[in-house]
Amino acid sequence: MNDTFLKACRGEEVPYTPVWIMRQAGRYLPEYQEVRAEVDFLTLCKTPELAAKVTMQPIERFGLDAAILFSDILIAVEAMGMHLEFSDKKGPVLSDPVRTKSTVDRLVIPDTEDSMPFVIETIKILRSHLGVPLIGFSGAPFTLATYMIEGGSSKNFLKTKKRMFQNPGLFSLLMDKITSTVISYLISQIRAGAQAVQLFDTWAGILGPEDYKEYVLPSVKKAIAELKKEGVPVIYFVNECAALLKELRKSGADIIGIDWRIDLKDAIKGLGKKCVVQGNLDPCALFLPQEKMEDKVKDILWKGEFARGHIFNLGHGVLPESPVENVAALVEAVHRFSER
Ligand code: CP3
């Protein structure tokens, strides 16, 4: 078992810097496209043999140090009682978005074993096959709330912010329900075999620090405190995190995921040297000539040394257009340049 990733999560000595890639299973891989030609995305997420197969595709192709469960953050939202579809053009669409108290009241806090048994089954299959640790994940409460209120992706998140500012009581009722769901969903993933968990807060960066502190941080802190009782590392990734570092320090997460818009050294300075960080290469660096990409990798590895621990990753998900050979070169470069 390659446990370099778990050691780095705990801030222990490692023989080299471990690397995994957000959205490492997906459309840039021809073998993923082959599976997707046969089934739609939600069916793929809900068929354990297939979900396990695509989880392992990048592991078999590259020397990655961790696998991430193949699923989507909106699977748990569907289980809360919303109708979910993925359209090729618009991305996710949730019909009947959350607007009133009655739409919040109708939402349930799902039991994972009953309503998402495929997730448990996928994790069990993966644990019997993988030679690297398995990361489970969930959307963080605020990011899930944005999808539930907007009904899908959004440009300025006006509907979300309106609810938040104009009806804080209703907004916090919604956040509480989502937070309970996230906690129970991730505890189930951990008990089924996930060896670390990541909370994706893709949209928390649309808020300034004061609003983040008031409307988002309490739920994140609560979820992380509960998850830490399970004894596995908790990673908290916030996209566009630069202005929020002071608040992220208080989240209680074992590892903070950093996007690429901030210099990793500055991020570590903002979080404090005792932190363990994950990141933060620009996903578009995979389109650079190899030598230039390697320079960026070296720079990030060097800066990562200032933290108590560093897990290499992109600063956000790998893009579907990414050349597969450059992803292979990236993983190889991280290992080669970081060998102790
Ligand atoms: O990282 C992995 O390899 C695990 C799988 C994973 C997916 N989604 C598969 C997926 C993970 C961890 C996610 C998280 C997710 N999903 C996030 C947070 C991370 C981030 O990227 O910010 C968000 C915001 C979503 C919601 C979502 N899912 C959107 C907006 C879309 C449409 C846009 C897009 O990228 O296609 C998806 C679809 C999705 N989720 C795909 C995959 C592989 C593409 C589906 C397809 O095959 O057509």
Side-chain angles (χ1 to χ4, degrees):
M1 172 75 173
N2 169 357
D3 64 350
T4 311
F5 164 78
L6 291 174
K7 281 190 170 142
C9 285
R10 297 189 293 255
E12 295 170 10
E13 286 283 319
V14 280
Y16 60 86
T17 304
V19 51
W20 70 279
I21 297 172
M22 287 190 277
R23 299 280 197 111
Q24 63 193 20
R27 285 166 297 187
Y28 72 107
L29 285 175
E31 56 270 36
Y32 173 83
Q33 297 283 14
E34 252 173 56
V35 177
R36 272 285 276 114
E38 304 295 326
V39 290
D40 63 78
F41 176 61
L42 279 177
T43 306
L44 176 50
C45 291
K46 294 176 186 178
T47 313
E49 294 72 24
L50 291 179
K53 181 177 170 173
V54 298
T55 302
M56 288 191 294
Q57 285 174 344
I59 305 302
E60 283 158 6
R61 196 188 255 270
F62 316 112
L64 294 157
D65 297 291
I68 180 160
L69 168 74
F70 188 84
S71 186
D72 195 85
I73 59 165
L74 298 174
I75 290 284
V77 171
E78 188 184 45
M80 290 180 80
M82 294 188 76
H83 179 78
L84 171 66
E85 270 175 58
F86 276 89
S87 104
D88 280 342
K89 284 199 192 90
K90 284 197 286 182
V93 181
L94 291 156
S95 38
D96 199 11
V98 171
R99 297 288 148 83
T100 57
K101 176 139 191 319
S102 68
T103 50
V104 176
D105 286 340
R106 275 206 300 275
L107 297 169
V108 297
I109 297 163
D111 179 87
T112 309
E113 279 76 6
D114 289 344
S115 54
M116 296 173 274
F118 46 86
V119 170
I120 304 298
E121 190 53 35
T122 306
I123 292 174
K124 288 186 176 156
I125 298 174
L126 283 167
R127 281 303 308 275
S128 69
H129 286 84
L130 284 169
V132 293
L134 177 65
I135 305 168
F137 73 90
S138 166
F142 180 73
T143 289
L144 294 181
T146 67
Y147 283 102
M148 293 167 84
I149 296 170
E150 304 288 335
S153 302
S154 169
K155 277 210 177 80
N156 54 17
F157 296 90
L158 179 59
K159 293 188 183 81
T160 304
K161 289 190 184 179
K162 263 188 176 168
R163 296 299 168 303
M164 205 171 89
F165 293 145
Q166 295 177 353
N167 199 340
L170 184 66
F171 184 79
S172 90
L173 207 62
L174 174 64
M175 287 290 278
D176 285 349
K177 255 187 169 165
I178 302 174
T179 305
S180 299
T181 298
V182 167
I183 293 168
S184 131
Y185 181 46
L186 284 177
I187 288 179
S188 299
Q189 290 187 29
I190 294 165
R191 293 185 182 167
Q195 291 149 291
V197 289
Q198 175 156 318
L199 279 171
F200 283 91
D201 225 346
T202 306
W203 302 121
I206 63 163
L207 299 177
E210 286 304 319
D211 289 333
Y212 175 87
K213 190 170 152 188
E214 180 171 352
Y215 298 102
V216 180
L217 185 63
S219 317
V220 170
K221 268 172 90 165
K222 182 174 176 202
I224 291 175
E226 288 302 315
L227 295 170
K228 281 174 82 166
K229 292 183 191 160
E230 298 292 308
V232 306
V234 180
I235 310 167
Y236 181 40
F237 168 75
V238 175
N239 192 26
E240 305 208 36
C241 68
L244 302 174
L245 295 172
K246 210 171 92 206
E247 302 310 322
L248 300 187
R249 276 175 96 135
K250 302 177 200 156
S251 68
D254 299 294
I255 300 108
I256 301 286
I258 311 288
D259 67 277
W260 73 92
R261 299 166 189 86
I262 178 168
D263 187 294
L264 189 58
K265 212 168 153 207
D266 292 335
I268 293 164
K269 212 165 150 197
L271 290 168
K273 284 186 178 166
K274 284 197 192 126
C275 66
V276 177
V277 290
Q278 176 176 281
N280 75 337
L281 184 70
D282 183 343
C284 293
L286 288 166
F287 300 86
L288 281 168
Q290 198 162 321
E291 244 174 66
K292 288 240 157 75
M293 179 186 77
E294 290 189 351
D295 286 344
K296 285 192 184 287
V297 168
K298 276 188 234 170
D299 186 57
I300 290 171
L301 285 170
W302 173 73
K303 286 169 178 160
E305 292 288 323
F306 289 90
R308 189 163 63 88
H310 178 212
I311 297 148
F312 199 99
N313 206 316
L314 297 180
H316 200 180
V318 59
L319 298 166
E321 299 83 359
S322 306
V324 177
E325 60 279 15
N326 294 5
V327 176
L330 169 67
V331 175
E332 189 274 327
V334 172
H335 287 160
R336 179 158 44 95
F337 295 132
S338 68
E339 206 179 310
R340 314 285 196 256

Coordinates of all heavy atoms in Angstrom, one line a residue, residues 41-42 45-46 71-86 92-99 103-104 106-112 115-116 118-119 137-153 174-175 177-186 189 199-201 203:
F41 N -24.1 10.2 -17.5 CA -23.3 10.5 -16.3 C -23.9 10.0 -15.0 O -23.2 9.4 -14.2 CB -23.0 12.0 -16.3 CG -22.2 12.5 -15.1 CD1 -20.9 12.0 -14.8 CD2 -22.8 13.4 -14.2 CE1 -20.2 12.4 -13.7 CE2 -22.1 13.8 -13.1 CZ -20.8 13.3 -12.8
L42 N -25.2 10.3 -14.8 CA -25.8 9.9 -13.5 C -25.8 8.3 -13.4 O -25.6 7.8 -12.3 CB -27.2 10.5 -13.4 CG -27.2 11.9 -12.9 CD1 -28.6 12.5 -12.8 CD2 -26.5 12.1 -11.5
C45 N -22.4 7.3 -12.3 CA -22.2 7.5 -10.8 C -22.9 6.5 -10.0 O -22.5 6.1 -8.9 CB -22.8 8.9 -10.4 SG -21.8 10.3 -11.1
K46 N -24.1 6.0 -10.5 CA -24.9 5.1 -9.7 C -24.7 3.6 -10.0 O -25.4 2.7 -9.4 CB -26.4 5.4 -9.9 CG -26.7 6.8 -9.3 CD -28.1 7.2 -9.6 CE -28.4 8.6 -9.2 NZ -29.7 9.1 -9.6
S71 N -17.9 10.3 -8.4 CA -19.3 10.6 -8.1 C -19.5 12.1 -8.5 O -18.8 12.6 -9.3 CB -19.6 10.4 -6.6 OG -21.0 10.6 -6.4
D72 N -20.5 12.7 -7.9 CA -20.6 14.2 -8.1 C -21.1 14.8 -6.8 O -21.9 14.1 -6.0 CB -21.5 14.5 -9.2 CG -21.4 15.9 -9.7 OD1 -20.5 16.2 -10.5 OD2 -22.1 16.8 -9.2
I73 N -20.8 16.1 -6.6 CA -21.3 16.7 -5.3 C -22.8 16.8 -5.3 O -23.4 17.0 -4.3 CB -20.7 18.1 -5.1 CG1 -21.0 19.1 -6.3 CG2 -19.2 18.1 -4.9 CD1 -20.7 20.5 -6.0
L74 N -23.5 16.7 -6.5 CA -24.9 16.9 -6.5 C -25.7 15.6 -6.3 O -26.9 15.7 -6.2 CB -25.3 17.6 -7.8 CG -24.7 19.0 -8.0 CD1 -25.0 19.5 -9.4 CD2 -25.2 19.9 -6.9
I75 N -25.0 14.5 -6.2 CA -25.7 13.2 -5.9 C -26.4 13.3 -4.5 O -27.5 12.9 -4.4 CB -24.6 12.1 -5.9 CG1 -24.1 11.8 -7.3 CG2 -25.2 10.8 -5.2 CD1 -25.1 11.1 -8.2
A76 N -25.8 14.0 -3.6 CA -26.4 14.1 -2.2 C -27.6 15.1 -2.3 O -28.5 14.9 -1.5 CB -25.3 14.5 -1.2
V77 N -27.5 16.0 -3.2 CA -28.6 17.0 -3.3 C -29.8 16.3 -3.9 O -31.0 16.5 -3.4 CB -28.2 18.2 -4.2 CG1 -29.4 19.1 -4.5 CG2 -27.1 19.0 -3.5
E78 N -29.6 15.4 -4.8 CA -30.7 14.6 -5.4 C -31.3 13.8 -4.2 O -32.5 13.7 -4.1 CB -30.2 13.7 -6.5 CG -31.3 13.0 -7.2 CD -30.7 12.1 -8.3 OE1 -29.8 11.3 -8.0 OE2 -31.3 12.0 -9.4
A79 N -30.4 13.2 -3.4 CA -30.9 12.3 -2.3 C -31.7 13.2 -1.3 O -32.5 12.6 -0.5 CB -29.7 11.6 -1.7
M80 N -31.5 14.5 -1.2 CA -32.2 15.3 -0.3 C -33.6 15.6 -0.8 O -34.5 16.2 -0.1 CB -31.5 16.7 -0.1 CG -30.2 16.5 0.8 SD -29.4 18.1 1.0 CE -30.4 18.8 2.4
G81 N -33.9 15.2 -2.1 CA -35.2 15.3 -2.6 C -35.4 16.2 -3.8 O -36.5 16.5 -4.2
M82 N -34.3 16.7 -4.4 CA -34.4 17.6 -5.5 C -34.2 16.8 -6.8 O -33.5 15.8 -6.8 CB -33.4 18.7 -5.5 CG -33.7 19.6 -4.3 SD -32.7 21.1 -4.3 CE -33.4 22.1 -5.6
H83 N -34.9 17.3 -7.9 CA -34.8 16.6 -9.2 C -33.5 17.1 -9.9 O -33.4 18.2 -10.2 CB -36.0 16.8 -10.0 CG -35.9 16.1 -11.3 ND1 -36.2 14.7 -11.5 CD2 -35.6 16.6 -12.6 CE1 -36.0 14.4 -12.7 NE2 -35.7 15.5 -13.4
L84 N -32.6 16.1 -10.3 CA -31.3 16.5 -10.9 C -31.2 15.9 -12.3 O -31.5 14.8 -12.5 CB -30.2 15.9 -10.0 CG -28.8 16.0 -10.5 CD1 -28.3 17.5 -10.7 CD2 -27.8 15.2 -9.7
E85 N -30.7 16.8 -13.2 CA -30.4 16.3 -14.5 C -29.1 17.0 -14.9 O -28.8 18.1 -14.5 CB -31.5 16.7 -15.5 CG -32.6 15.7 -15.7 CD -33.7 16.3 -16.6 OE1 -33.4 16.6 -17.8 OE2 -34.8 16.4 -16.1
F86 N -28.3 16.3 -15.8 CA -27.1 16.9 -16.3 C -27.4 17.1 -17.8 O -27.6 16.1 -18.5 CB -25.9 16.0 -16.1 CG -25.3 16.2 -14.8 CD1 -25.7 15.4 -13.7 CD2 -24.3 17.1 -14.6 CE1 -25.1 15.6 -12.4 CE2 -23.7 17.3 -13.3 CZ -24.1 16.5 -12.3
P92 N -25.3 20.9 -14.7 CA -26.4 20.4 -13.9 C -27.6 21.3 -13.8 O -27.5 22.5 -13.8 CB -25.7 20.4 -12.5 CG -24.5 21.3 -12.5 CD -24.1 21.4 -14.0
V93 N -28.8 20.7 -13.8 CA -30.0 21.5 -13.7 C -30.8 20.8 -12.5 O -31.1 19.6 -12.6 CB -30.8 21.4 -15.0 CG1 -32.1 22.2 -14.8 CG2 -30.0 21.9 -16.2
L94 N -31.2 21.7 -11.5 CA -32.0 21.2 -10.4 C -33.4 21.9 -10.6 O -33.4 23.1 -10.5 CB -31.4 21.5 -9.1 CG -30.1 20.8 -8.7 CD1 -29.3 21.5 -7.7 CD2 -30.5 19.4 -8.2
S95 N -34.4 21.1 -10.9 CA -35.7 21.8 -11.1 C -36.3 22.1 -9.7 O -35.9 21.5 -8.7 CB -36.6 20.9 -11.9 OG -36.5 19.6 -11.6
D96 N -37.2 23.0 -9.7 CA -37.9 23.5 -8.5 C -36.9 23.9 -7.4 O -36.8 23.3 -6.3 CB -38.8 22.3 -7.9 CG -39.8 22.9 -7.0 OD1 -40.0 24.1 -6.9 OD2 -40.5 22.0 -6.3
P97 N -36.0 24.9 -7.7 CA -35.0 25.3 -6.8 C -35.6 25.8 -5.5 O -36.8 26.2 -5.4 CB -34.3 26.4 -7.5 CG -35.0 26.7 -8.8 CD -36.0 25.6 -9.0
V98 N -34.7 25.9 -4.5 CA -35.2 26.3 -3.1 C -35.4 27.8 -3.1 O -34.5 28.6 -3.4 CB -34.1 26.0 -2.1 CG1 -34.4 26.6 -0.7 CG2 -33.9 24.5 -2.0
R99 N -36.7 28.2 -2.8 CA -37.0 29.6 -2.8 C -37.7 30.0 -1.5 O -37.6 31.1 -1.0 CB -37.9 30.0 -4.0 CG -37.3 29.8 -5.3 CD -36.2 30.9 -5.6 NE -35.1 30.4 -6.4 CZ -35.2 30.3 -7.8 NH1 -36.2 30.7 -8.4 NH2 -34.2 29.8 -8.4
T103 N -40.2 24.9 0.4 CA -39.2 24.1 -0.3 C -38.1 23.6 0.5 O -37.5 22.5 0.3 CB -38.7 24.8 -1.6 OG1 -38.2 26.1 -1.1 CG2 -39.7 25.0 -2.7
V104 N -37.8 24.3 1.6 CA -36.7 23.9 2.5 C -37.3 22.7 3.4 O -36.6 21.7 3.6 CB -36.2 25.0 3.4 CG1 -35.2 24.5 4.4 CG2 -35.5 26.1 2.5
R106 N -39.5 20.6 2.7 CA -39.6 19.3 2.0 C -38.3 18.5 1.9 O -38.4 17.3 1.6 CB -40.1 19.6 0.5 CG -41.6 19.8 0.4 CD -42.1 19.4 -1.0 NE -41.5 20.3 -2.0 CZ -42.0 21.5 -2.4 NH1 -43.1 22.0 -1.8 NH2 -41.4 22.2 -3.3
L107 N -37.2 19.2 2.0 CA -35.9 18.5 1.9 C -35.7 17.5 3.0 O -36.0 17.8 4.2 CB -34.8 19.5 1.9 CG -34.7 20.5 0.7 CD1 -33.7 21.6 1.0 CD2 -34.4 19.8 -0.6
V108 N -35.1 16.4 2.7 CA -34.8 15.4 3.8 C -33.3 15.3 4.0 O -32.5 15.8 3.2 CB -35.4 14.0 3.4 CG1 -36.9 14.0 3.2 CG2 -34.7 13.5 2.1
I109 N -33.0 14.8 5.2 CA -31.6 14.5 5.5 C -31.4 13.0 5.2 O -31.9 12.2 5.9 CB -31.2 14.9 6.9 CG1 -31.4 16.4 7.1 CG2 -29.8 14.4 7.3 CD1 -31.5 16.8 8.6
P110 N -30.9 12.7 4.0 CA -30.9 11.3 3.6 C -30.0 10.3 4.4 O -29.0 10.7 4.9 CB -30.4 11.4 2.1 CG -29.6 12.6 2.1 CD -30.1 13.6 3.1
D111 N -30.5 9.1 4.4 CA -29.7 8.1 5.0 C -28.9 7.5 3.8 O -29.5 7.0 2.9 CB -30.6 7.0 5.6 CG -29.8 5.9 6.2 OD1 -29.4 6.0 7.4 OD2 -29.5 4.9 5.5
T112 N -27.6 7.5 3.9 CA -26.7 7.1 2.8 C -27.0 5.7 2.4 O -27.1 5.3 1.2 CB -25.2 7.3 3.1 OG1 -25.0 8.6 3.6 CG2 -24.3 7.1 1.9
S115 N -30.5 5.6 0.6 CA -30.7 6.4 -0.7 C -29.5 6.5 -1.6 O -29.7 6.9 -2.7 CB -31.3 7.8 -0.3 OG -30.5 8.4 0.6
M116 N -28.3 6.2 -1.1 CA -27.1 6.3 -2.0 C -26.3 5.0 -1.8 O -25.0 5.1 -1.6 CB -26.3 7.5 -1.7 CG -27.0 8.8 -2.0 SD -26.2 10.3 -1.5 CE -26.7 10.5 0.2
F118 N -25.2 2.9 -3.7 CA -24.2 2.7 -4.8 C -22.9 3.3 -4.4 O -21.8 2.9 -4.7 CB -24.7 3.3 -6.1 CG -25.3 4.6 -6.0 CD1 -24.6 5.8 -6.0 CD2 -26.7 4.8 -5.8 CE1 -25.1 7.0 -5.9 CE2 -27.3 6.0 -5.7 CZ -26.5 7.2 -5.7
V119 N -22.9 4.4 -3.6 CA -21.7 5.1 -3.1 C -20.9 4.1 -2.2 O -19.7 3.9 -2.3 CB -22.0 6.4 -2.4 CG1 -20.8 7.0 -1.7 CG2 -22.5 7.4 -3.4
F137 N -15.6 12.3 -0.9 CA -15.8 13.7 -0.9 C -17.3 14.1 -0.9 O -18.2 13.3 -1.0 CB -15.2 14.3 -2.2 CG -16.0 14.0 -3.5 CD1 -17.0 14.9 -3.9 CD2 -15.7 12.9 -4.2 CE1 -17.7 14.6 -5.1 CE2 -16.4 12.6 -5.4 CZ -17.4 13.4 -5.8
S138 N -17.5 15.4 -0.6 CA -18.8 16.0 -0.6 C -18.7 17.5 -1.0 O -17.6 18.0 -0.9 CB -19.5 15.9 0.8 OG -20.6 16.7 0.8
G139 N -19.7 18.0 -1.5 CA -19.7 19.5 -1.7 C -19.8 20.1 -0.3 O -20.3 19.5 0.6
A140 N -19.2 21.2 -0.1 CA -19.3 21.9 1.2 C -20.7 22.6 1.3 O -21.3 22.8 0.2 CB -18.2 23.0 1.4
P141 N -21.2 22.8 2.5 CA -22.6 23.3 2.6 C -22.9 24.5 1.7 O -23.9 24.5 1.0 CB -22.8 23.7 4.1 CG -21.8 22.7 4.7 CD -20.7 22.5 3.8
F142 N -22.1 25.5 1.7 CA -22.4 26.7 0.9 C -22.5 26.4 -0.6 O -23.4 26.9 -1.3 CB -21.4 27.9 1.2 CG -21.8 29.1 0.4 CD1 -22.8 29.9 0.8 CD2 -21.0 29.5 -0.7 CE1 -23.2 31.1 0.0 CE2 -21.3 30.6 -1.4 CZ -22.4 31.4 -1.1
T143 N -21.5 25.7 -1.1 CA -21.5 25.4 -2.5 C -22.8 24.6 -2.9 O -23.4 24.8 -3.9 CB -20.2 24.7 -2.9 OG1 -19.1 25.6 -2.8 CG2 -20.2 24.1 -4.3
L144 N -23.2 23.7 -2.1 CA -24.4 22.9 -2.4 C -25.6 23.8 -2.3 O -26.5 23.8 -3.1 CB -24.5 21.7 -1.4 CG -23.5 20.6 -1.5 CD1 -23.7 19.5 -0.5 CD2 -23.4 20.0 -2.9
A145 N -25.6 24.8 -1.3 CA -26.7 25.7 -1.2 C -26.8 26.6 -2.5 O -28.0 26.8 -3.0 CB -26.5 26.6 0.0
T146 N -25.7 27.0 -3.1 CA -25.8 27.8 -4.3 C -26.5 27.0 -5.4 O -27.4 27.6 -6.1 CB -24.4 28.3 -4.8 OG1 -23.7 27.2 -5.3 CG2 -23.7 29.1 -3.8
Y147 N -26.2 25.7 -5.6 CA -26.8 25.0 -6.6 C -28.3 24.8 -6.3 O -29.2 24.8 -7.2 CB -26.2 23.6 -6.8 CG -24.9 23.7 -7.6 CD1 -23.6 23.6 -6.9 CD2 -24.9 23.8 -9.0 CE1 -22.4 23.7 -7.6 CE2 -23.7 24.0 -9.7 CZ -22.5 23.9 -9.0 OH -21.3 24.0 -9.7
M148 N -28.6 24.6 -5.1 CA -30.0 24.3 -4.7 C -30.9 25.6 -4.8 O -32.1 25.5 -5.1 CB -30.1 23.8 -3.2 CG -29.4 22.4 -3.1 SD -29.1 22.0 -1.4 CE -30.7 21.3 -0.9
I149 N -30.3 26.8 -4.6 CA -31.0 28.0 -4.8 C -31.0 28.5 -6.2 O -32.1 28.9 -6.7 CB -30.4 29.1 -3.8 CG1 -30.6 28.7 -2.3 CG2 -31.1 30.4 -4.1 CD1 -29.9 29.6 -1.3
E150 N -29.9 28.4 -6.9 CA -29.8 28.9 -8.3 C -30.5 27.9 -9.2 O -30.9 28.3 -10.3 CB -28.4 29.1 -8.7 CG -27.5 30.0 -7.8 CD -27.9 31.5 -7.9 OE1 -28.4 31.9 -9.0 OE2 -27.7 32.3 -7.0
G151 N -30.5 26.7 -8.9 CA -31.1 25.6 -9.8 C -30.0 25.1 -10.7 O -30.3 24.4 -11.6
G152 N -28.8 25.6 -10.6 CA -27.7 25.1 -11.5 C -26.5 26.1 -11.3 O -26.4 26.7 -10.2
S153 N -25.7 26.2 -12.3 CA -24.6 27.1 -12.2 C -25.1 28.5 -12.4 O -26.2 28.8 -12.8 CB -23.6 26.8 -13.3 OG -23.2 25.4 -13.2
L174 N -31.7 26.2 5.7 CA -31.2 25.4 4.6 C -29.8 24.9 4.9 O -29.5 23.7 4.7 CB -31.3 26.3 3.3 CG -30.7 25.6 2.1 CD1 -31.4 24.4 1.7 CD2 -30.6 26.6 0.9
M175 N -28.9 25.8 5.3 CA -27.5 25.5 5.6 C -27.5 24.4 6.7 O -26.7 23.4 6.6 CB -26.7 26.7 6.0 CG -26.4 27.7 4.9 SD -25.2 27.0 3.7 CE -23.7 27.4 4.6
K177 N -29.7 22.0 7.3 CA -30.1 20.7 6.7 C -29.0 20.2 5.8 O -28.7 19.0 5.9 CB -31.4 20.9 5.9 CG -32.6 20.4 6.6 CD -33.8 20.4 5.7 CE -34.9 19.6 6.4 NZ -36.3 19.8 5.8
I178 N -28.4 21.0 5.1 CA -27.3 20.6 4.2 C -26.1 20.1 5.0 O -25.5 19.0 4.7 CB -26.8 21.7 3.2 CG1 -28.0 22.2 2.4 CG2 -25.7 21.2 2.3 CD1 -27.6 23.4 1.5
T179 N -25.8 20.8 6.1 CA -24.7 20.5 6.9 C -24.9 19.1 7.6 O -24.0 18.2 7.6 CB -24.4 21.5 8.0 OG1 -24.3 22.8 7.4 CG2 -23.2 21.2 8.8
S180 N -26.1 18.8 8.1 CA -26.4 17.5 8.6 C -26.2 16.4 7.6 O -25.7 15.3 7.8 CB -27.8 17.5 9.2 OG -28.0 18.4 10.2
T181 N -26.7 16.7 6.3 CA -26.5 15.8 5.2 C -25.0 15.5 4.9 O -24.6 14.3 4.8 CB -27.2 16.3 4.0 OG1 -28.6 16.5 4.2 CG2 -27.0 15.4 2.8
V182 N -24.3 16.6 4.8 CA -22.8 16.4 4.5 C -22.1 15.6 5.6 O -21.3 14.6 5.3 CB -22.2 17.8 4.4 CG1 -20.7 17.7 4.4 CG2 -22.7 18.5 3.2
I183 N -22.4 15.8 6.9 CA -21.8 15.1 7.9 C -22.2 13.6 7.8 O -21.3 12.7 7.8 CB -22.2 15.7 9.3 CG1 -21.6 17.1 9.5 CG2 -21.7 14.7 10.5 CD1 -22.2 17.8 10.7
S184 N -23.4 13.3 7.7 CA -23.9 11.9 7.7 C -23.4 11.2 6.5 O -22.9 10.0 6.5 CB -25.4 11.9 7.9 OG -26.0 11.0 7.0
Y185 N -23.4 11.9 5.3 CA -22.9 11.3 4.1 C -21.4 11.0 4.1 O -21.0 9.9 3.7 CB -23.2 12.3 3.0 CG -22.9 11.9 1.6 CD1 -23.2 10.7 1.1 CD2 -22.2 12.8 0.7 CE1 -22.9 10.3 -0.3 CE2 -21.9 12.5 -0.6 CZ -22.2 11.2 -1.1 OH -21.9 10.9 -2.4
L186 N -20.6 11.9 4.7 CA -19.2 11.6 4.7 C -18.8 10.6 5.8 O -17.9 9.8 5.6 CB -18.4 12.9 4.9 CG -18.3 13.8 3.6 CD1 -17.6 15.1 3.9 CD2 -17.6 13.1 2.5
Q189 N -19.3 7.4 4.1 CA -18.2 7.1 3.2 C -16.9 6.6 3.9 O -16.3 5.7 3.5 CB -17.8 8.3 2.4 CG -18.9 8.8 1.4 CD -18.4 9.9 0.5 OE1 -17.2 10.1 0.2 NE2 -19.4 10.7 0.0
L199 N -13.8 18.3 1.3 CA -15.0 19.1 1.1 C -14.7 20.1 0.0 O -13.7 20.9 0.1 CB -15.3 19.9 2.4 CG -16.0 19.2 3.5 CD1 -16.0 20.1 4.8 CD2 -17.5 18.9 3.1
F200 N -15.5 20.1 -1.1 CA -15.3 21.1 -2.2 C -16.2 22.3 -2.0 O -17.4 22.2 -2.0 CB -15.7 20.4 -3.5 CG -14.8 19.4 -4.1 CD1 -14.9 18.1 -3.8 CD2 -13.8 19.8 -5.0 CE1 -14.0 17.1 -4.4 CE2 -12.9 18.9 -5.6 CZ -13.0 17.5 -5.2
D201 N -15.5 23.5 -1.7 CA -16.2 24.7 -1.6 C -15.9 25.6 -2.8 O -15.3 26.6 -2.7 CB -16.0 25.4 -0.3 CG -17.3 25.9 0.4 OD1 -18.3 26.0 -0.4 OD2 -17.3 26.3 1.6
W203 N -17.6 27.6 -4.6 CA -18.2 28.9 -4.8 C -18.0 29.8 -3.6 O -18.5 31.0 -3.6 CB -19.6 28.9 -5.2 CG -19.8 28.1 -6.5 CD1 -20.5 27.0 -6.8 CD2 -19.1 28.4 -7.8 NE1 -20.4 26.6 -8.1 CE2 -19.5 27.4 -8.7 CE3 -18.3 29.4 -8.2 CZ2 -19.1 27.4 -10.0 CZ3 -17.8 29.4 -9.5 CH2 -18.2 28.4 -10.4

